[in-house]
Amino acid sequence: MSSPHSPADVLFILLGAIMILAMHAGFAFLELGTVRAKNQVNALVKILVDFAVSTLAYFFIGYGIAYRVHFFSGARVLAEHHGYDLTRFFFLLTFAAAVPAIVSGGIAERARFAPQLAATFVIVGFVYPFFEGIAWNGSFGLQAWLAAHLGAPFHDFAGSVVVHAVGGWIALMAVLQLGARRGHYGHDGGVTAHPPSSIPFLALGAWILIVGWFGFNVMSAQTLERITGLVAINSLMAMVGGTLAAVLAGRNDPGFAHNGPLAGLVAICASSDVVHPLAALAIGAVAGVLFVRLFTWTQNRWKVDDVLGVWPLHGLCGTWGGIACGIFGQTALGGLGGVSFWSQCLGTFAGVGVALLGGFAVYGTLRRAVGLRLSREEEFLGADLAVHRISASADLVRP
């Protein structure tokens, strides 16, 4: 157990956990608004049940792998220091559960329900905490080696790489294993557009995520004495940069407009405590353009059917955020220093490698063992009726 903490610290980190828990409603509504109407119920159910499965996986397995802490003792021991360790588990669980929520958006509209829950358990129980322990708990000696040989350990204050890049690259492996939605790509190479079912719900999901992100970033301090307003302002500036860049690059498209701020917030997580606000604006702007360009190329040129664009949004913008920390965190560019460009590169690529190997192993094994996709008939009918036996609207019986 950790050193004593005050009740104020417990309340501080609890409020952060609640804010990030609310972000999962944002994931749900963002997916609900983006998918076709026949898959809206499935989007809502997946995010909720994934969170429940993530809680069990992280409580019994994942948190112990990452931090060498378990909760198999009496309540009297667990309540010591005002139960700070329990509340910290809740806080970090909300980070871990974001990974399957990210994956959910990429595999929407054609993934079977039970295999995805199995994948969630393995990812949150084993894959994610393996790299979380390396980055945030010094496991396996990588951070010590980077500090000794490159001058500074890998820095990821709020999870650009640990959460977002890992989630996005796992999602890419899942999307490639699943294949594209039937009929999305024609034999002539053309793309059949599937416009969002509800721009208002998509926008609501984005706004919920934006508001919750200030708990995600600012409260990553985890104690009151470490809190800094620099994180809040940098998060704000990166959000603004991502929004404006995505609107310009996306030619006022509302989908890009509402994902742009998320791209900026993904990218600033790693460096929000060490860069200047103007650098945060630039980091967010680059992320906004990166998302728009790569989403378009992924869908149209590379024929990778990532429904919500979670690989460019989380995977690539998270990767950019990890590397950008090593650039803009330098004192020569107005940062606080204490970061190494090469440590950021190596740490970021280590996270990407873990995600690629873990995602390929998990989804490849499930595909061969039990299958990942809905049948042709079920996909045509829609996951709402095929899986949950109910539609989002009473008048929607057939697609």
Side-chain angles (χ1 to χ4, degrees):
M1 291 297 181
S2 62
S3 58
H5 290 272
S6 70
D9 285 337
V10 175
L11 178 61
F12 174 74
I13 200 170
L14 174 61
L15 292 175
I18 293 169
M19 289 182 71
I20 306 170
L21 176 62
M23 290 176 71
H24 288 263
F27 283 119
F29 278 97
L30 188 67
E31 182 174 337
L32 181 156
T34 305
V35 299
R36 288 170 287 181
K38 62 184 179 180
N39 296 296
Q40 290 182 322
V41 172
N42 183 246
L44 293 171
V45 174
K46 272 193 305 178
I47 299 299
L48 178 61
V49 180
D50 268 340
F51 187 88
V53 171
S54 297
T55 300
L56 296 181
Y58 201 60
F59 184 87
F60 288 106
I61 303 171
Y63 194 69
I65 290 175
Y67 299 103
R68 303 294 188 267
V69 173
H70 69 81
F71 301 113
F72 306 114
S73 56
R76 184 179 300 276
V77 174
L78 298 180
E80 290 180 354
H81 314 315
H82 311 286
Y84 178 85
D85 292 281
L86 293 172
T87 314
R88 182 172 183 261
F89 158 78
F90 181 16
F91 179 76
L92 292 170
L93 161 68
T94 57
F95 282 66
V99 174
I102 291 167
V103 175
S104 175
I107 64 175
E109 301 203 286
R110 76 272 202 202
R112 293 174 59 204
F113 189 55
Q116 171 55 19
L117 295 182
T120 293
F121 189 90
V122 177
I123 289 167
V124 178
F126 298 96
V127 179
Y128 168 80
F130 174 75
F131 185 69
E132 180 187 17
I134 291 174
W136 286 345
N137 197 43
S139 301
F140 305 107
L142 177 62
Q143 291 285 44
W145 186 90
L146 293 174
H149 291 83
L150 298 176
F154 171 64
H155 185 85
D156 190 359
F157 181 71
S160 284
V161 178
V162 175
V163 178
H164 297 286
V166 166
W169 286 92
I170 289 175
L172 177 63
M173 292 294 97
V175 168
L176 293 177
Q177 293 285 342
L178 268 173
R181 288 167 289 180
R182 291 182 174 90
H184 189 54
Y185 298 114
H187 297 295
D188 60 354
V191 180
T192 301
H194 298 305
S197 60
S198 174
I199 293 295
F201 277 139
L202 184 158
L204 175 63
W207 272 108
I208 293 172
L209 286 167
I210 289 167
V211 173
W213 223 295
F214 287 86
F216 197 97
N217 283 4
V218 175
M219 292 176 174
S220 285
Q222 299 190 30
T223 60
L224 276 172
E225 66 180 11
R226 294 181 59 210
I227 191 172
T228 168
L230 182 64
V231 176
I233 296 304
N234 283 340
S235 300
L236 176 67
M237 295 299 280
M239 181 202 83
V240 169
T243 302
L244 296 178
V247 168
L248 291 173
R251 300 181 180 181
N252 303 325
D253 180 279
F256 290 140
H258 286 94
N259 278 282
L262 307 184
L265 286 163
V266 165
I268 199 59
C269 287
S271 60
S272 56
D273 63 326
V274 296
V275 301
H276 190 277
L278 292 179
L281 182 68
I283 291 170
V286 171
V289 174
L290 188 65
F291 169 69
V292 172
R293 296 289 183 246
L294 269 296
F295 178 85
T296 303
W297 292 348
T298 299
Q299 294 288 332
N300 299 336
R301 294 188 183 182
W302 302 337
K303 303 297 189 291
V304 176
D305 189 14
D306 178 353
V307 179
L308 268 69
V310 297
W311 175 63
L313 179 63
H314 297 274
L316 292 180
C317 291
T319 301
W320 157 242
I323 296 171
C325 179
I327 301 171
F328 293 98
Q330 305 292 337
T331 54
L333 292 177
L336 296 183
V339 295
S340 161
F341 173 75
W342 293 111
S343 291
Q344 291 306 117
C345 290
L346 289 177
T348 298
F349 294 144
V352 171
V354 169
L356 288 173
L357 291 173
F360 180 80
V362 170
Y363 284 98
T365 300
L366 286 170
R367 183 172 66 86
R368 290 168 176 81
V370 298
L372 292 173
R373 286 195 69 135
L374 296 171
S375 69
R376 182 179 295 274
E377 293 75 18
E378 288 172 332
E379 188 175 334
F380 176 78
L381 185 63
D384 292 358
L385 293 175
V387 176
H388 307 289
R389 305 294 188 266
I390 193 169
S391 65
S393 174
D395 59 358
L396 180 62
V397 179
R398 288 291 185 269

